[in-house]
Amino acid sequence: MGRLIICDLTEEQGGQLDFSVLQPEYLVGQEALFDALDQGDVESVILRSQGDDPTAHLCLRQLALRWPWVIRIQQNMDATARYQAEGGDVADASLPYNAEASRLDYIIERTRPVIARLRNPAIEAIMVELGELPPLPEQLAGLNQMIDEQANESTASVAHLFRGCMPYLKQLMELLNNPLLGCDRHLFSVNEAVRLVGLRTLRDLGIMAHIINTFPQPEGWSSFSFEHLLGRNLVCAHLAERIAHSVGSDRVSMSSALAAGLFHDFGMRVLVRLDQQRYFRVMEKAAALKQPVYAVEKLDYKLTHGELGASILRRWGVSPRIVRAVLYHHVPKAAGDNTFTTLTAAHVADAMLPPLFNTMECLLGGRLSLSYLDSIGEMERVSLWERLASDHGKQLEAHW
């Protein structure tokens, strides 16, 4: 258990909190916070801000990239509901300023096992084999800045961010115009795309384009098509967004569900790129045992593609709620939720869609956990979600 730091971004320091076990250190200002983080042994940071302060979200983004394993909690005073909801993009939790120590303690306790799974020694060994990860394209930082500044998406201009990088922009536009994503018209410009899908979805599709470039299908791999995998990702993203909409989720939560559906199994790309023969044998074993591939991954690699993908996303500073959904999408009960979350949308979408076609006919998707849905009180919506998934599944199978 490392240090807990409570940092006020303004000179006006908030009241001290009475934790049962933890002994927090109180600081003022980002410089003091980063100095303390450089000293090491910090487990959690509670960042306090006032109003809709974009510098607070920028600070949390910088913290996420430099110290990805530090638990990040934001406390807001006099902030709008939109700003507090958007805090989930940058923090493990976004809470009001008057949240009690017991609530903060609960968030830290709940996030510890997530960080532990993302730092599984088996994952660390694979990261050493992969070498240094290429950082996300700088254009995405520009989109994040516009998100944090609450830019008006109906008038926002982002074309300048992509000037001089036509191959990346072309790939992004191809994703936007892929009929499996569900856009209702062909898009001709990235500015038009913002008005239709929003800054967050544009950014997340930009991350997907980066994943495609970083982990392309290796020569000689024929057990399943990375193009078909991408198609299923896009359908899963659209379905997850519709599932979130069906429960009345806000726009931020719906875009998070779309992103979780998009990223949920990109860890398979990484494992195939790392050693395609080894992954072939894992698929063979899964087919012989009639078990889903993630279960055999756990036996062979001591990790799953969901855990590996989530760990990489955390290192890239991706939204914690999306990371959490990717991490637990095959084992949602392990997350300990008691209500609908981004994880629910990703789990249901993945489990209800037809599994990815592959030469060994092993199960590359997940299995629906009815006990999980019952525990969060969502069994009554299963029939609705099955109807939605049936429509999307037909579209996917026609594409294959």
Side-chain angles (χ1 to χ4, degrees):
M1 189 184 300
R3 297 152 62 199
L4 165 62
I5 293 175
I6 299 178
C7 178
D8 284 83
L9 286 185
T10 63
E11 290 297 326
E12 295 215 12
Q13 209 168 358
Q16 297 201 356
L17 296 169
D18 184 19
F19 287 88
S20 57
V21 176
L22 299 171
Q23 298 296 319
E25 305 168 36
Y26 291 87
L27 301 173
V28 175
Q30 178 177 305
E31 185 176 347
L33 172 62
F34 283 14
D35 285 345
L37 286 163
D38 278 333
Q39 295 170 19
D41 195 32
V42 176
E43 180 190 43
S44 310
V45 168
I46 298 171
L47 191 72
R48 291 168 161 177
S49 61
Q50 188 163 17
D52 290 11
D53 183 2
T55 63
H57 285 176
L58 175 60
C59 177
L60 287 162
R61 289 193 192 281
Q62 291 174 331
L63 197 159
L65 288 172
R66 292 176 60 181
W67 300 280
W69 311 124
V70 171
I71 297 169
R72 310 183 300 275
I73 300 173
Q74 182 177 16
Q75 282 190 284
N76 316 293
M77 178 183 285
D78 301 326
T80 62
R82 172 184 171 180
Y83 179 84
Q84 186 159 320
E86 289 173 344
D89 214 35
V90 292
D92 293 291
S94 180
L95 303 173
Y97 209 81
N98 59 359
E100 297 182 355
S102 58
R103 175 65 175 161
L104 297 164
D105 202 10
Y106 169 77
I107 295 296
I108 293 170
E109 287 285 346
R110 189 169 182 264
T111 310
R112 277 188 185 126
V114 174
I115 300 298
R117 290 184 78 144
L118 297 177
R119 301 190 73 184
N120 176 344
I123 293 178
E124 295 299 325
I126 281 186
M127 297 310 299
V128 170
E129 284 190 66
L130 285 173
E132 188 174 353
L133 281 175
L136 293 178
E138 61 184 17
Q139 290 81 12
L140 304 185
L143 292 175
N144 278 331
Q145 182 177 347
M146 296 177 73
I147 291 168
D148 295 341
E149 292 174 350
Q150 298 187 350
N152 185 340
E153 293 178 330
S154 64
T155 60
S157 176
V158 299
H160 66 283
L161 296 175
F162 296 90
R163 199 169 292 130
C165 52
M166 284 304 297
Y168 182 54
L169 178 58
K170 180 183 177 183
Q171 191 163 39
L172 180 55
M173 294 304 296
E174 286 176 356
L175 288 173
L176 284 159
N177 285 312
N178 191 309
L180 295 178
L181 185 63
C183 290
D184 56 7
R185 68 175 186 270
H186 190 86
L187 299 168
F188 294 95
S189 75
V190 71
N191 285 337
E192 185 185 9
V194 170
R195 289 189 282 275
L196 183 63
V197 305
L199 288 165
R200 277 183 176 77
T201 294
L202 183 65
R203 175 203 60 200
D204 295 333
L205 287 169
I207 295 172
M208 193 67 215
H210 182 65
I211 288 170
I212 294 168
N213 289 332
T214 305
F215 304 106
Q217 182 168 330
E219 187 176 348
W221 176 257
S222 59
S223 295
F224 62 81
S225 162
F226 277 28
E227 182 181 351
H228 286 175
L229 177 62
L230 174 61
R232 191 177 188 276
N233 293 154
L234 292 169
V235 173
C236 193
H238 189 203
L239 177 57
E241 182 184 40
R242 292 187 69 189
I243 289 169
H245 180 266
S246 73
V247 302
S249 297
D250 59 37
R251 191 175 178 188
V252 175
S253 298
M254 285 171 59
S255 68
S256 295
L258 185 148
L262 194 64
F263 303 144
H264 72 283
D265 61 6
F266 94 85
M268 284 198 289
R269 288 176 170 265
V270 183
L271 292 172
V272 171
R273 287 286 302 177
L274 195 66
D275 187 337
Q276 56 182 291
Q277 291 302 319
R278 184 178 182 184
Y279 203 73
F280 178 85
R281 292 192 296 271
V282 166
M283 291 176 63
E284 276 190 320
K285 190 182 295 184
L289 296 175
K290 293 183 168 44
Q291 291 295 317
V293 76
Y294 74 85
V296 182
E297 288 170 351
K298 196 70 172 178
L299 291 173
D300 190 275
Y301 293 98
K302 303 298 185 285
L303 55 82
T304 69
H305 64 265
E307 291 169 340
L308 178 58
S311 185
I312 293 174
L313 292 172
R314 180 88 183 192
R315 295 164 201 262
W316 277 337
V318 171
S319 162
R321 72 177 76 179
I322 296 170
V323 170
R324 192 169 173 276
V326 172
L327 174 65
Y328 290 118
H329 74 274
H330 284 313
V331 287
K333 287 195 77 171
D337 293 338
N338 55 17
T339 187
F340 185 99
T341 66
T342 300
L343 166 61
T344 313
H347 168 69
V348 172
D350 173 59
M352 287 189 173
L353 284 174
L356 182 67
F357 171 79
N358 61 92
T359 57
M360 279 158 283
E361 299 184 350
C362 67
L363 179 58
L364 293 178
R367 291 172 172 167
L368 188 66
S369 174
L370 293 177
S371 61
Y372 162 69
L373 295 179
D374 184 53
S375 69
I376 63 171
E378 292 292 349
M379 284 295 293
E380 64 183 25
R381 288 195 172 96
V382 170
S383 59
L384 167 62
W385 293 340
E386 285 175 338
R387 289 195 297 273
L388 293 176
S390 176
D391 293 341
H392 287 272
K394 292 173 185 174
Q395 181 190 23
L396 182 60
E397 290 176 330
H399 174 74
W400 288 342

